[in-house]
Amino acid sequence: MNEVVKNTPVGSTLAGQTAARTIFNNFISKYGSFVVVQAENPDGDSLGAALALESVLMEKETSLYCPVQIPKHLRYLAGWDRVSDEYNFSAQAVIIVDTASEVLLSKLLETPEIKNHLVSHPVLVVDHHVTEADLTFDHELIQGDEVSTTRVLQKLLPEVTPDVAQMLLAGTMSDTLGLTTPAVGAEDYRAVADLIDAGANVADLEEARRELAKKTPRMLDYKADLIKRVEYHLDGKLATVHIGWEEIREYSDEYNPGVLILEELRMVEGVEVAVAVKTYPDGKLTGKIRALKPIAEELAGHFGGGGHAYAAGFRVYENYEQVLRELVGAADELLED
């Protein structure tokens, strides 16, 4: 664990994996009931971390919360249906996984009752993003420079059951695209081997993922339509696609349109950054960024978002044409640097 921070009103810094385990063990032993919170952009890592914590806390009363429905492409993880969009206000403590950013928790903080619960109850944040936390309520933060939040959790747990190992494996494989991203090192392969020794099964996980990833002929036709609408900028280095609300409403239950197209864009010759932008009726725009160079997090940060060096996202309330202009300008600068 490269860095462990305990955030209090005055702030203090502790270093080392032992300190992280102390913070974690003290927190989970102190309370009898928990609500485990994912941000409003759940992914395989946040879901894997939440489900792993549910198993770790099996002797406690534990509920899983996400302000949006778990996307269909993540439902290959057994237990996804236990994640609820109804917040458990009776929980004595809160554990937030995979984000320390208020932007990604805005749906919670915009709900007065939930914000009051966060402000008035103990909160532990477990995250692997190395960007500085901007949470304005008191919390303890365990933040490691790892490839996934599930890797951080793995370092916190002295031993894991097969169920926990499978969820930790799922989160790490999801955030690293199957251990293929540039941030992955030998230590991560050894960590996966440890999870397999503990009972995780890579083949079962991949079979479930591939089965769920199958697409209907209708979705394949829609994907073809998305491909025809791709726009290229900066001499083909930046590829963008705009997804409107009518498409989101029609297709999202079947497959996330952004996920459907982004990996295809990254495979286009010359493309170094791919961005899928969605627009919503309330004026909100969201962007998913995938990059071949380590600039995704900085590019998302231009719009107040964040994520990883190669995969990130943002949310704004601006005109699409203005966002596109800013996106092209920011990407140009970052690619030049």
Side-chain angles (χ1 to χ4, degrees):
M1 198 76 64
N2 293 9
E3 181 182 7
V4 180
V5 178
K6 180 180 180 182
N7 280 358
T8 66
V10 294
S12 62
T13 300
L14 304 172
Q17 189 171 328
T18 301
R21 284 184 175 178
T22 299
I23 293 172
F24 180 76
N25 289 331
N26 286 347
F27 191 88
I28 65 173
S29 65
K30 195 179 297 184
Y31 308 104
S33 59
F34 297 87
V35 54
V36 180
V37 172
Q38 296 178 73
E40 56 198 66
N41 62 334
D43 60 15
D45 186 30
S46 70
L47 180 57
L51 291 170
L53 279 170
E54 181 189 41
S55 291
V56 169
L57 299 169
M58 61 183 303
E59 295 183 0
K60 313 264 187 173
E61 180 187 336
T62 306
S63 57
L64 306 179
Y65 171 81
C66 185
V68 301
Q69 288 190 343
I70 296 299
K72 184 176 179 181
H73 71 276
L74 297 178
R75 296 179 185 179
Y76 64 94
L77 294 183
W80 70 267
D81 52 341
R82 293 195 295 275
V83 180
S84 173
D85 59 1
E86 295 185 6
Y87 192 90
N88 179 15
F89 293 99
S90 66
Q92 297 174 356
V94 182
I95 302 178
I96 298 173
V97 294
D98 203 32
T99 186
S101 169
E102 289 213 346
V103 170
L104 298 178
L105 295 170
S106 60
K107 282 185 178 292
L108 282 75
L109 299 175
E110 289 169 359
T111 305
E113 295 84 0
I114 297 179
K115 182 176 182 179
N116 181 63
H117 189 268
L118 292 171
V119 169
S120 59
H121 288 73
V123 177
L124 174 67
V125 179
V126 182
D127 188 24
H128 74 114
H129 303 102
V130 295
T131 50
E132 185 175 351
D134 63 359
L135 303 178
T136 54
F137 50 86
D138 289 350
H139 62 284
E140 292 185 283
L141 171 64
I142 296 177
Q143 186 178 46
D145 185 7
E146 304 289 345
V147 295
S148 65
T149 296
T150 42
R151 278 288 289 120
V152 176
L153 272 179
Q154 186 177 352
K155 286 192 170 186
L156 294 175
L157 303 173
E159 58 183 53
V160 297
T161 64
D163 287 345
V164 173
Q166 190 74 350
M167 292 304 109
L168 296 180
L169 174 68
T172 293
M173 297 297 277
S174 174
D175 250 22
T176 63
L177 301 180
L179 298 178
T180 63
T181 55
V184 174
E187 180 185 357
D188 300 303
Y189 279 90
R190 285 190 286 267
V192 166
D194 289 340
L195 293 175
I196 294 171
D197 285 341
N201 190 304
V202 177
D204 287 350
L205 183 68
E206 182 61 10
E207 182 180 359
R209 188 193 69 79
R210 285 178 178 272
E211 184 63 29
L212 196 68
K214 290 180 178 178
K215 303 169 186 66
T216 64
R218 187 177 89 106
M219 287 305 298
L220 197 61
D221 287 343
Y222 173 56
K223 184 174 184 177
D225 181 55
L226 283 175
I227 291 172
K228 292 176 185 176
R229 286 162 32 202
V230 174
E231 297 182 357
Y232 298 95
H233 319 267
L234 306 176
D235 297 322
K237 295 178 183 178
L238 171 65
T240 64
V241 65
H242 182 205
I243 300 167
W245 169 242
E246 290 301 322
E247 299 166 60
I248 297 169
R249 184 169 60 180
E250 182 174 354
Y251 295 107
S252 288
D253 284 347
E254 193 169 337
Y255 210 96
N256 184 317
V259 175
L260 185 68
I261 188 65
L262 272 177
E263 288 307 311
E264 295 291 342
L265 295 187
R266 292 209 314 166
M267 296 299 293
V268 176
E269 185 176 326
V271 170
E272 297 179 0
V273 184
V275 185
V277 179
K278 296 180 181 178
T279 56
Y280 293 82
D282 60 357
K284 177 178 69 177
L285 277 77
T286 64
K288 279 185 178 294
I289 303 170
R290 298 293 182 267
L292 298 179
K293 292 187 175 180
I295 66 167
E297 185 175 14
E298 291 182 80
L299 185 56
H302 179 83
F303 300 96
H308 316 294
Y310 297 91
F314 63 85
R315 184 187 64 193
V316 293
Y317 287 86
E318 292 182 25
N319 176 271
Y320 171 73
E321 285 72 22
Q322 176 64 28
V323 169
L324 183 61
R325 285 193 294 270
E326 292 182 26
L327 184 66
V328 173
D332 191 19
E333 289 184 17
L334 290 169
L335 289 170
E336 285 294 326
D337 291 341

